[in-house]
Amino acid sequence: QVYVVFSEELKCWCRALVESVWCQVDGYQLGCFLVDYAKYCSVASKNIRVLAGAFAKIPHRAKKCRLHCTKPLTLHIDYCENIAKIGPAKRWDTAAIQHFRKLLE
């Protein structure tokens, strides 16, 4: 379900999909994907609203996608052997994500 959340970074209300919820001292935080900006953000639970009628039917401008057959790699360093090898990783490094975004621009 798509909700409306207030993004502190963008300083406006945005449509979002809630992906995770975690408890903090001052309340709940929500991990959200902004469907019109293709950005991830965390939002306090007080800054979320239900999306009203007709606005829920508007198509998203951003879609989640994956690169076909492309898997993340990282540099594995073995200090005992004094060698470094590139190998598979569970997640993309932030440097790789930034490099990919620059290529897209």
Side-chain angles (χ1 to χ4, degrees), residues 70-83:
T70 304
K71 303 204 183 221
L73 298 174
T74 191
L75 187 64
H76 296 283
I77 300 171
D78 185 348
Y79 292 105
C80 297
E81 302 270 332
N82 200 20
I83 58 172

PDB file of all heavy atoms in Angstrom, residues 70-83:
ATOM      1  N   THR A  70      23.858  -9.033 -13.034  1.00  0.00           N
ATOM      2  CA  THR A  70      24.950  -8.249 -12.468  1.00  0.00           C
ATOM      3  C   THR A  70      24.901  -8.417 -10.960  1.00  0.00           C
ATOM      4  O   THR A  70      23.904  -8.102 -10.332  1.00  0.00           O
ATOM      5  CB  THR A  70      24.803  -6.763 -12.835  1.00  0.00           C
ATOM      6  OG1 THR A  70      24.728  -6.645 -14.243  1.00  0.00           O
ATOM      7  CG2 THR A  70      25.954  -5.952 -12.316  1.00  0.00           C
ATOM      8  N   LYS A  71      25.977  -8.910 -10.400  1.00  0.00           N
ATOM      9  CA  LYS A  71      26.027  -9.162  -8.959  1.00  0.00           C
ATOM     10  C   LYS A  71      27.082  -8.264  -8.326  1.00  0.00           C
ATOM     11  O   LYS A  71      28.082  -7.942  -8.950  1.00  0.00           O
ATOM     12  CB  LYS A  71      26.346 -10.621  -8.697  1.00  0.00           C
ATOM     13  CG  LYS A  71      25.337 -11.524  -9.366  1.00  0.00           C
ATOM     14  CD  LYS A  71      25.248 -12.831  -8.706  1.00  0.00           C
ATOM     15  CE  LYS A  71      24.277 -13.635  -9.517  1.00  0.00           C
ATOM     16  NZ  LYS A  71      23.381 -14.411  -9.033  1.00  0.00           N
ATOM     17  N   PRO A  72      26.872  -7.859  -7.084  1.00  0.00           N
ATOM     18  CA  PRO A  72      27.840  -6.969  -6.428  1.00  0.00           C
ATOM     19  C   PRO A  72      29.155  -7.685  -6.128  1.00  0.00           C
ATOM     20  O   PRO A  72      29.186  -8.868  -5.819  1.00  0.00           O
ATOM     21  CB  PRO A  72      27.131  -6.564  -5.139  1.00  0.00           C
ATOM     22  CG  PRO A  72      26.122  -7.622  -4.892  1.00  0.00           C
ATOM     23  CD  PRO A  72      25.734  -8.156  -6.226  1.00  0.00           C
ATOM     24  N   LEU A  73      30.236  -6.934  -6.245  1.00  0.00           N
ATOM     25  CA  LEU A  73      31.572  -7.421  -5.917  1.00  0.00           C
ATOM     26  C   LEU A  73      32.185  -6.499  -4.881  1.00  0.00           C
ATOM     27  O   LEU A  73      31.819  -5.338  -4.774  1.00  0.00           O
ATOM     28  CB  LEU A  73      32.466  -7.450  -7.163  1.00  0.00           C
ATOM     29  CG  LEU A  73      32.030  -8.359  -8.298  1.00  0.00           C
ATOM     30  CD1 LEU A  73      32.935  -8.157  -9.502  1.00  0.00           C
ATOM     31  CD2 LEU A  73      32.066  -9.813  -7.872  1.00  0.00           C
ATOM     32  N   THR A  74      33.145  -7.021  -4.155  1.00  0.00           N
ATOM     33  CA  THR A  74      33.867  -6.203  -3.194  1.00  0.00           C
ATOM     34  C   THR A  74      35.300  -6.694  -3.102  1.00  0.00           C
ATOM     35  O   THR A  74      35.635  -7.782  -3.567  1.00  0.00           O
ATOM     36  CB  THR A  74      33.180  -6.225  -1.809  1.00  0.00           C
ATOM     37  OG1 THR A  74      33.778  -5.223  -0.997  1.00  0.00           O
ATOM     38  CG2 THR A  74      33.309  -7.574  -1.138  1.00  0.00           C
ATOM     39  N   LEU A  75      36.143  -5.896  -2.507  1.00  0.00           N
ATOM     40  CA  LEU A  75      37.548  -6.245  -2.340  1.00  0.00           C
ATOM     41  C   LEU A  75      37.729  -6.938  -0.996  1.00  0.00           C
ATOM     42  O   LEU A  75      37.406  -6.376   0.049  1.00  0.00           O
ATOM     43  CB  LEU A  75      38.400  -4.980  -2.408  1.00  0.00           C
ATOM     44  CG  LEU A  75      39.910  -5.166  -2.407  1.00  0.00           C
ATOM     45  CD1 LEU A  75      40.358  -5.914  -3.649  1.00  0.00           C
ATOM     46  CD2 LEU A  75      40.610  -3.831  -2.343  1.00  0.00           C
ATOM     47  N   HIS A  76      38.187  -8.183  -1.036  1.00  0.00           N
ATOM     48  CA  HIS A  76      38.466  -8.945   0.185  1.00  0.00           C
ATOM     49  C   HIS A  76      39.965  -8.864   0.462  1.00  0.00           C
ATOM     50  O   HIS A  76      40.773  -9.238  -0.385  1.00  0.00           O
ATOM     51  CB  HIS A  76      38.057 -10.414   0.016  1.00  0.00           C
ATOM     52  CG  HIS A  76      36.593 -10.589  -0.196  1.00  0.00           C
ATOM     53  ND1 HIS A  76      35.682 -10.499   0.817  1.00  0.00           N
ATOM     54  CD2 HIS A  76      35.870 -10.844  -1.327  1.00  0.00           C
ATOM     55  CE1 HIS A  76      34.473 -10.702   0.340  1.00  0.00           C
ATOM     56  NE2 HIS A  76      34.561 -10.906  -0.960  1.00  0.00           N
ATOM     57  N   ILE A  77      40.331  -8.371   1.634  1.00  0.00           N
ATOM     58  CA  ILE A  77      41.739  -8.202   1.993  1.00  0.00           C
ATOM     59  C   ILE A  77      42.100  -9.216   3.071  1.00  0.00           C
ATOM     60  O   ILE A  77      41.432  -9.316   4.089  1.00  0.00           O
ATOM     61  CB  ILE A  77      42.013  -6.774   2.496  1.00  0.00           C
ATOM     62  CG1 ILE A  77      41.669  -5.766   1.395  1.00  0.00           C
ATOM     63  CG2 ILE A  77      43.457  -6.627   2.942  1.00  0.00           C
ATOM     64  CD1 ILE A  77      41.704  -4.331   1.846  1.00  0.00           C
ATOM     65  N   ASP A  78      43.174  -9.972   2.797  1.00  0.00           N
ATOM     66  CA  ASP A  78      43.687 -10.945   3.770  1.00  0.00           C
ATOM     67  C   ASP A  78      45.002 -10.374   4.297  1.00  0.00           C
ATOM     68  O   ASP A  78      46.016 -10.377   3.599  1.00  0.00           O
ATOM     69  CB  ASP A  78      43.897 -12.304   3.108  1.00  0.00           C
ATOM     70  CG  ASP A  78      44.307 -13.375   4.100  1.00  0.00           C
ATOM     71  OD1 ASP A  78      44.649 -13.026   5.251  1.00  0.00           O
ATOM     72  OD2 ASP A  78      44.268 -14.555   3.723  1.00  0.00           O
ATOM     73  N   TYR A  79      44.960  -9.848   5.533  1.00  0.00           N
ATOM     74  CA  TYR A  79      46.141  -9.208   6.098  1.00  0.00           C
ATOM     75  C   TYR A  79      47.230 -10.215   6.447  1.00  0.00           C
ATOM     76  O   TYR A  79      48.420  -9.886   6.404  1.00  0.00           O
ATOM     77  CB  TYR A  79      45.748  -8.401   7.345  1.00  0.00           C
ATOM     78  CG  TYR A  79      44.902  -7.205   7.012  1.00  0.00           C
ATOM     79  CD1 TYR A  79      43.534  -7.203   7.257  1.00  0.00           C
ATOM     80  CD2 TYR A  79      45.462  -6.070   6.441  1.00  0.00           C
ATOM     81  CE1 TYR A  79      42.748  -6.112   6.950  1.00  0.00           C
ATOM     82  CE2 TYR A  79      44.689  -4.975   6.129  1.00  0.00           C
ATOM     83  CZ  TYR A  79      43.335  -4.993   6.381  1.00  0.00           C
ATOM     84  OH  TYR A  79      42.568  -3.903   6.064  1.00  0.00           O
ATOM     85  N   CYS A  80      46.859 -11.430   6.788  1.00  0.00           N
ATOM     86  CA  CYS A  80      47.852 -12.458   7.121  1.00  0.00           C
ATOM     87  C   CYS A  80      48.667 -12.865   5.900  1.00  0.00           C
ATOM     88  O   CYS A  80      49.874 -13.022   5.972  1.00  0.00           O
ATOM     89  CB  CYS A  80      47.168 -13.690   7.715  1.00  0.00           C
ATOM     90  SG  CYS A  80      46.325 -13.345   9.267  1.00  0.00           S
ATOM     91  N   GLU A  81      47.979 -13.031   4.770  1.00  0.00           N
ATOM     92  CA  GLU A  81      48.640 -13.452   3.524  1.00  0.00           C
ATOM     93  C   GLU A  81      49.176 -12.258   2.726  1.00  0.00           C
ATOM     94  O   GLU A  81      49.881 -12.441   1.751  1.00  0.00           O
ATOM     95  CB  GLU A  81      47.657 -14.240   2.664  1.00  0.00           C
ATOM     96  CG  GLU A  81      47.085 -15.457   3.339  1.00  0.00           C
ATOM     97  CD  GLU A  81      47.924 -16.690   3.106  1.00  0.00           C
ATOM     98  OE1 GLU A  81      48.593 -16.771   2.070  1.00  0.00           O
ATOM     99  OE2 GLU A  81      47.909 -17.545   3.995  1.00  0.00           O
ATOM    100  N   ASN A  82      48.740 -11.051   3.117  1.00  0.00           N
ATOM    101  CA  ASN A  82      49.129  -9.825   2.430  1.00  0.00           C
ATOM    102  C   ASN A  82      48.672  -9.828   0.962  1.00  0.00           C
ATOM    103  O   ASN A  82      49.432  -9.502   0.058  1.00  0.00           O
ATOM    104  CB  ASN A  82      50.641  -9.586   2.522  1.00  0.00           C
ATOM    105  CG  ASN A  82      50.980  -8.127   2.259  1.00  0.00           C
ATOM    106  OD1 ASN A  82      50.128  -7.255   2.369  1.00  0.00           O
ATOM    107  ND2 ASN A  82      52.225  -7.874   1.895  1.00  0.00           N
ATOM    108  N   ILE A  83      47.404 -10.242   0.751  1.00  0.00           N
ATOM    109  CA  ILE A  83      46.841 -10.260  -0.593  1.00  0.00           C
ATOM    110  C   ILE A  83      45.446  -9.635  -0.571  1.00  0.00           C
ATOM    111  O   ILE A  83      44.797  -9.552   0.466  1.00  0.00           O
ATOM    112  CB  ILE A  83      46.741 -11.695  -1.172  1.00  0.00           C
ATOM    113  CG1 ILE A  83      45.896 -12.595  -0.265  1.00  0.00           C
ATOM    114  CG2 ILE A  83      48.106 -12.294  -1.424  1.00  0.00           C
ATOM    115  CD1 ILE A  83      45.589 -13.951  -0.867  1.00  0.00           C
TER     116      ILE A  83
END
